Amino acid sequence: MVPLTTDDRQFLKFVYRQLEDRPLDPGDPRYQPPYDHPGCEDPILLVQNDIEYADSQSINLFSGFSGSGKTTELLRLRQRLTDAGYVVLYADALKYINPAAPIEISDLLIVLAGAFSDAIEEEHQIRLKGETYWDRFHNWLATTDVNLKEIGLKTGADIKLELRTTPSFRQKLVETLGGRIGELHKDVTSFFDDGFKALREKVGADAKVVFLFDSLEQIRGSLSDEEKVTHSVEVLFSNNLRLLEIPNLHVVYTVPPWLKFVLPGVRIHLLPCLRTWSNNAERSVFELGRNALRSLIGRRFTPDGMTRFFGPEPFSRADRMIQLSGGHFRDLLRLLHETVLRATDLPVSDDAMERAIVAVRSSFLPVSLDDARWLAEIERARSTLLQTRQPAEIGRLTRFLDTHMVLYLRSGEEWYDVHPLVRDEVQNIAKSSRATPTE
């Protein structure tokens, strides 16, 4: 073994940073279009078509399980729509709401209008009649029989801050507005209409406006009140979806992916893992998906770097990492990251690669007996095998998907499979539980 030179360590430092797991802009040279090959449906193109083919307004629900590249793909949607001539406004819901608290329709209507107000001011320097929506809402409350002192409101800015940081304030506001949702909705839509007209006056009479409202998928609660919080999200989108349509605007909401399990019939554009095998008994290699991940790795290492790191036939070795990643971008980057950390010579040794695989696999373990039984059945049936829509069961399945134990895949129809890193472990545990003890 030849020790690493100073130049080798600088190269490994470069690669390590190239493998960072963070959202990428579409123009970033490291960005690999994940769905740009035959036999793979592009969810972003579907959302764009939904917007472009609609008349003057639309509502789209967009989601992805943890690590699926949702933020990167949302940035790609923003770029595509901007290139197509749309005025695209963006807001991060986490600036306005507490993701650990239940959410009501009144909360979301106020936050939507307030976030839109902030966006048109920040991006287009538009402040309607010299006031923000927060000021306007404060003034609207003053014209009702709501006692502002009772709920602790002094200025419009108080509302923006208190909604996110003070649960007792939010609860008082919800109780106060409980019988006034119709009035609140009317005021909110009126504000959006005024904002839409102001945008057209500034950027052009034919301007088409898209509002991307990100991070709602992170509303989940803590372990103690997760069921209460998730139920509030379910009610929000099952009972109030019509109230979330905004006249003259195309709105994209990022929502929790588990909504697809509790709201059948509601269309959600959900990002799948990149498929690298086929849905058959032998899991035959799906070459187009594998090649897309080869390209992803090549973009991070550079062509010369691939040979320097993996050797003269780089993909004959990198394919093992691709296979074990399950087509999950985050896990592929983790496997490569851990390999770089363990490289003691170049090209990297098989031993370093195997130790990296063990390190990443260990993050999935241990698997409980009950989980292993369900996971083994998911692997057998390539389906979720949900028995009910009870919160506990939905929450458990969501945990499988968010931790990547289970992968969501599409090949025309959707299907599910257990992550390649833990398939053997799951099967061994499940088989041991079925074994009959001998006396």
Side-chain angles (χ1 to χ4, degrees):
M1 181 177 69
V2 179
L4 292 172
T5 66
T6 300
D7 185 56
D8 289 336
R9 293 188 65 83
Q10 285 298 318
F11 166 69
L12 291 175
K13 181 178 181 179
F14 163 77
V15 171
Y16 183 86
R17 294 180 178 180
Q18 287 287 96
L19 294 169
E20 280 183 319
D21 177 21
R22 62 178 182 83
L24 299 178
D25 291 320
D28 193 303
R30 291 171 293 177
Y31 176 72
Q32 167 62 37
Y35 309 107
D36 187 20
H37 55 79
C40 189
E41 198 168 63
D42 185 350
I44 293 303
L45 178 59
L46 293 179
V47 177
Q48 182 179 357
N49 288 345
D50 230 332
I51 290 170
E52 292 189 353
Y53 297 165
D55 184 14
S56 59
Q57 64 189 57
S58 65
I59 181 170
N60 281 276
L61 306 184
F62 176 69
S63 194
F65 292 100
S66 176
S68 62
K70 178 195 67 67
T71 301
T72 293
E73 292 306 297
L74 198 65
L75 291 172
R76 180 163 71 96
L77 175 64
R78 183 178 189 175
Q79 185 62 58
R80 289 178 67 106
L81 289 169
T82 300
D83 291 345
Y86 286 81
V87 176
V88 185
L89 302 170
Y90 173 88
D92 185 343
L94 296 185
K95 290 176 61 178
Y96 305 94
I97 59 175
N98 179 354
I103 186 166
E104 304 288 342
I105 185 60
S106 55
D107 301 340
L108 189 50
L109 287 173
I110 296 165
V111 162
L112 277 174
F116 181 75
S117 172
D118 291 346
I120 60 175
E121 182 170 7
E122 291 167 10
E123 298 182 35
H124 297 278
Q125 296 73 54
I126 294 173
R127 180 175 279 207
L128 302 174
K129 299 178 182 177
E131 63 180 7
T132 67
Y133 178 74
W134 309 107
D135 299 323
R136 176 167 167 157
F137 177 64
H138 182 272
N139 296 336
W140 176 77
L141 284 176
T143 66
T144 69
D145 57 5
V146 173
N147 188 324
L148 297 182
K149 289 183 180 179
E150 256 183 37
I151 59 175
L153 285 182
K154 297 177 182 178
T155 68
D158 291 336
I159 301 170
K160 180 178 177 179
L161 177 64
E162 299 290 325
L163 268 174
R164 184 170 58 87
T165 60
T166 310
S168 58
F169 167 81
R170 190 196 63 80
Q171 186 57 40
K172 284 181 183 178
L173 194 58
V174 167
E175 292 169 358
T176 298
L177 296 172
R180 297 177 175 273
I181 298 302
E183 296 174 56
L184 175 62
H185 181 255
K186 183 178 180 181
D187 184 69
V188 165
T189 54
S190 174
F191 179 81
F192 272 109
D193 187 53
D194 291 345
F196 174 72
K197 291 175 181 175
L199 277 168
R200 281 199 155 184
E201 286 179 8
K202 183 152 192 177
V203 302
D206 296 326
K208 298 167 290 186
V209 183
V210 178
F211 187 30
L212 305 179
F213 197 68
D214 194 11
S215 300
L216 275 179
E217 82 284 353
Q218 298 192 43
I219 301 175
R220 133 168 295 166
S222 60
L223 288 176
S224 61
D225 62 358
E226 182 177 10
E227 187 172 321
K228 183 179 179 181
V229 174
T230 54
H231 178 68
S232 75
V233 178
E234 179 184 349
V235 170
L236 180 70
F237 285 97
S238 60
N239 295 350
N240 299 295
L241 199 55
R242 298 289 298 179
L243 293 179
L244 298 178
E245 294 179 352
I246 301 174
N248 300 314
L249 263 68
H250 301 279
V251 190
V252 178
Y253 297 96
T254 65
V255 299
W258 51 259
L259 276 178
K260 82 177 301 298
F261 303 128
V262 298
L263 297 180
V266 175
R267 186 177 57 170
I268 300 173
H269 296 284
L270 187 60
L271 292 174
C273 284
L274 187 59
R275 179 166 61 97
T276 59
W277 67 94
S278 299
N279 187 15
N280 52 30
E282 55 277 7
R283 292 190 179 89
S284 54
V285 172
F286 180 61
E287 292 187 4
L288 294 173
R290 183 195 61 186
N291 291 343
L293 290 181
R294 283 180 169 185
S295 180
L296 182 150
I297 296 175
R299 287 172 181 267
R300 302 279 178 147
F301 279 84
T302 74
D304 289 344
M306 285 293 294
T307 302
R308 184 174 183 181
F309 189 78
F310 289 106
E313 296 182 2
F315 287 113
S316 66
R317 305 186 71 205
D319 280 353
R320 176 155 166 73
M321 295 300 193
I322 290 173
Q323 175 194 6
L324 289 174
S325 74
H328 198 288
F329 306 128
R330 178 168 293 172
D331 290 338
L332 179 56
L333 293 176
R334 288 172 67 200
L335 286 163
L336 295 169
H337 235 148
E338 294 296 330
T339 304
V340 171
L341 287 175
R342 287 162 174 78
T344 55
D345 55 356
L346 292 175
V348 68
S349 68
D350 289 339
D351 177 66
M353 293 180 69
E354 290 304 315
R355 285 187 286 115
I357 291 166
V358 169
V360 177
R361 179 183 285 121
S362 68
S363 69
F364 289 83
L365 304 175
V367 181
S368 73
L369 180 57
D370 282 347
D371 283 352
R373 287 170 176 159
W374 191 359
L375 290 166
E377 286 302 300
I378 288 173
E379 180 182 352
R380 177 189 61 79
R382 311 284 170 90
S383 173
T384 65
L385 298 176
L386 274 174
Q387 301 296 313
T388 71
R389 294 197 182 101
Q390 294 300 312
E393 190 173 0
I394 295 294
R396 189 176 171 201
L397 176 61
T398 301
R399 175 169 57 82
F400 289 159
L401 287 153
D402 271 341
T403 57
H404 324 158
M405 295 286 285
V406 173
L407 303 173
Y408 170 71
L409 301 143
R410 292 193 69 90
S411 51
E413 295 183 349
E414 67 180 27
W415 49 288
Y416 300 80
D417 207 344
V418 171
H419 201 295
L421 279 170
V422 291
R423 280 187 199 138
D424 290 345
E425 183 80 12
V426 163
Q427 287 298 336
N428 290 337
I429 295 171
K431 285 176 183 176
S432 68
S433 73
R434 292 192 293 265
T436 303
T438 58
E439 295 185 0

